[in-house]
Amino acid sequence: MKKISLLGATGSIGQQTLDIIKSNPDQFKLVAFSIGDNIDLGKQIMKEFSPSLMSVKSKEAYDRLVSDSSGQTKIIFGEEGLIEVSTFHSADVVVNAVVGSVGLIPTLKAIEARKQIALANKETLVTAGHLVMEAAKKSGVDILPVDSEHSAIFQCLQGENRKNIEKLILTASGGSFRDRTRAELETVTVKDALNHPNWSMGAKITIDSATMMNKGLEVIEAHWLFQIPYENIEVLLHKESIIHSMVEFNDSSVIAQLGTPDMRVPIQYALTYPERIHFANANRLNLWEIGKLHFQKADFGRYRCLNLAYEAGKIGGTLPTVLNAANEEAVAAFLSGKISFLKIEDLIEDALNKHEVIMNPTLEEIRTVDLETRHTIQKKLAK
Ligand code: MG
């Protein structure tokens, strides 16, 4: 029985993680979890899974929850609460499914506490890959990818010697606007952007898919997870999302991982690794039914955010932190109707250009740069 601590239980990955725990009660037990402000869903999770610990984002939500809780689950709040959940004593695996750079400190604390990490929070590796990988190595902790592309690569690498990797090929669906020209992107709406053709995901990542920043962040994530230079990481457009990613080896062999697009598969693999267990509700792959798979070169002119991410990643230091923070702010502004879709990349590019890079940043420096970047963009948008 694996005991699981889940950060970000009400989000898309969080909910699908709970679905796997629920379907396999003899394999998994939820012992602790965190939520943002969705109190109703938090209560429901408490009732259904009876975990020992729950953390909410705000004091206000905490007060409301405590007043009508049965007392079986200890309730806490804030950043401290998130850390307590990520280091909960009886947890074997910590699933980090929070969105944004708020996921970084809990990941580091969980590593320190020698928990196995199932990582869905990209920002952790994007902003502090050097610190996280070093800490994981020092503590002897596995970082198991939950993202479908990284899970695919991780699966392709089982039993392989990493020194034989020629390149990683990350596939990209192209997001909700893959068939539109740049000119057509001028006038797209939030509703259009949220309509992803293949994957059902949270709002932030769906917009990131439309701008291709999601793939850019994944390239940086792959660089750190698998310790591969950016020159050897390629992005390939593949609109069906059937091949989840591939690895080319030095003998020219390419190994790919395939399946129907369902995030529960990579989540479950991270939870059962190195084992696999039966997935009863899987929508199994029928290639004869699909018939054709399509591939296209990723056009950096069309997807400027992808280019920005490669540039930020290659230069490194605090630049990926700026990329990520600027993106989070820009996407939030787009979602709330403050800016147009193409303005997202303008804001990010501008933030990158103005930043003076600090190489090998400490956690403190990363936090400062993250806050400064957000602040500058917020001020700019308030004008
Ligand atoms: Mg992905």
Side-chain angles (χ1 to χ4, degrees):
M1 174 81 86
K2 267 191 190 169
K3 298 197 183 90
I4 293 165
S5 186
L6 172 60
L7 307 179
T10 59
S12 170
I13 298 286
Q15 287 291 294
Q16 295 181 79
T17 304
L18 292 176
D19 192 49
I20 290 162
I21 296 174
K22 196 165 41 183
S23 309
N24 300 280
D26 50 334
Q27 303 264 355
F28 308 119
K29 160 101 183 102
L30 182 76
V31 290
F33 73 105
S34 84
I35 63 163
D37 299 314
N38 193 340
I39 295 178
D40 292 337
L41 198 45
K43 274 190 204 159
Q44 212 177 300
I45 297 167
M46 240 189 324
K47 209 171 138 196
E48 192 170 353
F49 294 87
S50 325
S52 309
L53 185 67
M54 167 193 190
S55 175
V56 288
K57 196 167 156 190
S58 66
K59 172 80 167 62
E60 193 194 345
Y62 165 82
D63 288 337
R64 278 179 57 196
L65 270 164
V66 166
S67 64
D68 60 9
S69 124
S70 63
Q72 242 194 357
T73 303
K74 183 184 164 195
I75 305 172
I76 50 179
F77 69 94
E79 205 175 333
E80 300 270 292
L82 204 55
I83 290 168
E84 209 172 311
V85 169
S86 71
T87 56
F88 189 66
H89 63 90
S90 74
D92 304 306
V93 186
V94 175
V95 179
N96 186 345
V98 299
V99 178
S101 54
V102 63
L104 172 57
I105 307 286
T107 305
L108 286 168
K109 294 289 180 188
I111 292 172
E112 258 174 49
R114 293 179 196 275
K115 306 289 182 193
Q116 215 170 48
I117 316 280
L119 190 62
N121 175 264
K122 299 182 196 239
E123 294 81 359
T124 289
L125 286 173
V126 169
T127 62
H130 61 300
L131 299 176
V132 173
M133 295 313 287
E134 197 185 282
K137 203 172 153 193
K138 212 170 111 194
S139 298
V141 162
D142 291 323
I143 304 226
L144 305 165
V146 167
D147 217 341
S148 62
E149 294 78 359
H150 305 80
S151 174
I153 291 168
F154 187 66
Q155 292 180 55
C156 294
L157 289 175
Q158 293 307 308
E160 296 290 346
N161 188 334
R162 292 192 186 187
K163 77 172 186 4
N164 296 325
I165 298 173
E166 184 81 21
K167 67 179 174 197
L168 307 180
I169 304 164
L170 268 77
T171 52
S173 68
S176 37
F177 299 145
R178 65 182 174 211
D179 299 322
R180 302 201 193 198
T181 64
R182 267 197 80 83
E184 285 170 327
L185 293 180
E186 300 274 353
T187 54
V188 291
T189 64
V190 171
K191 200 173 155 234
D192 298 332
L194 287 177
N195 189 15
H196 195 286
N198 302 351
W199 298 95
S200 148
M201 306 179 290
K204 198 254 174 189
I205 188 173
T206 304
I207 303 301
D208 283 349
S209 292
T211 61
M212 272 284 212
M213 181 56 91
N214 181 50
K215 209 51 56 181
L217 297 175
E218 288 180 358
V219 166
I220 302 176
E221 197 185 356
H223 163 79
W224 287 113
L225 260 180
F226 305 110
Q227 309 277 308
I228 299 294
Y230 288 98
E231 291 71 19
N232 302 73
I233 306 175
E234 220 174 80
V235 170
L236 176 70
L237 287 174
H238 165 44
K239 68 178 182 186
E240 289 87 0
S241 297
I242 294 297
I243 296 180
H244 299 315
S245 277
M246 306 181 243
V247 179
E248 184 181 318
F249 292 91
N250 51 4
D251 64 353
S252 85
S253 272
V254 177
I255 299 186
Q257 189 260 342
L258 288 74
T260 53
D262 184 340
M263 279 310 296
R264 289 173 303 173
V265 180
I267 296 170
Q268 178 173 296
Y269 186 69
L271 295 181
T272 60
Y273 171 82
E275 291 299 324
R276 291 181 190 271
I277 59 170
H278 183 69
F279 188 173
N281 303 320
N283 180 13
R284 290 177 187 268
L285 182 63
N286 263 324
L287 280 174
W288 56 264
E289 218 169 51
I290 293 164
K292 268 185 192 164
L293 296 178
H294 295 83
F295 304 98
Q296 214 181 315
K297 206 167 176 251
D299 174 358
F300 285 103
R302 166 73 174 72
Y303 294 109
R304 246 172 83 209
C305 283
L306 183 59
N307 200 23
L308 294 175
Y310 264 100
E311 279 174 17
K314 280 180 189 168
I315 294 169
T318 42
L319 210 53
T321 299
V322 174
L323 176 91
N324 179 66
N327 181 55
E328 280 183 32
E329 290 302 319
V331 169
F334 171 68
L335 283 172
S336 63
K338 279 188 204 138
I339 60 168
S340 66
F341 183 73
L342 287 178
K343 190 85 177 118
I344 296 174
E345 53 193 39
D346 290 342
L347 282 172
I348 299 165
E349 185 162 25
D350 189 51
L352 290 174
N353 287 340
K354 286 189 177 131
H355 180 64
E356 267 181 55
V357 182
I358 306 166
M359 291 313 285
N360 240 322
T362 61
L363 206 50
E364 258 322 291
E365 288 169 325
I366 290 168
R367 281 198 112 173
T368 308
V369 167
D370 181 89
L371 287 173
E372 277 173 7
T373 306
R374 289 167 194 277
H375 191 66
T376 310
I377 291 189
Q378 284 162 5
K379 239 169 58 188
K380 203 168 162 181
L381 290 175
K383 268 185 197 161

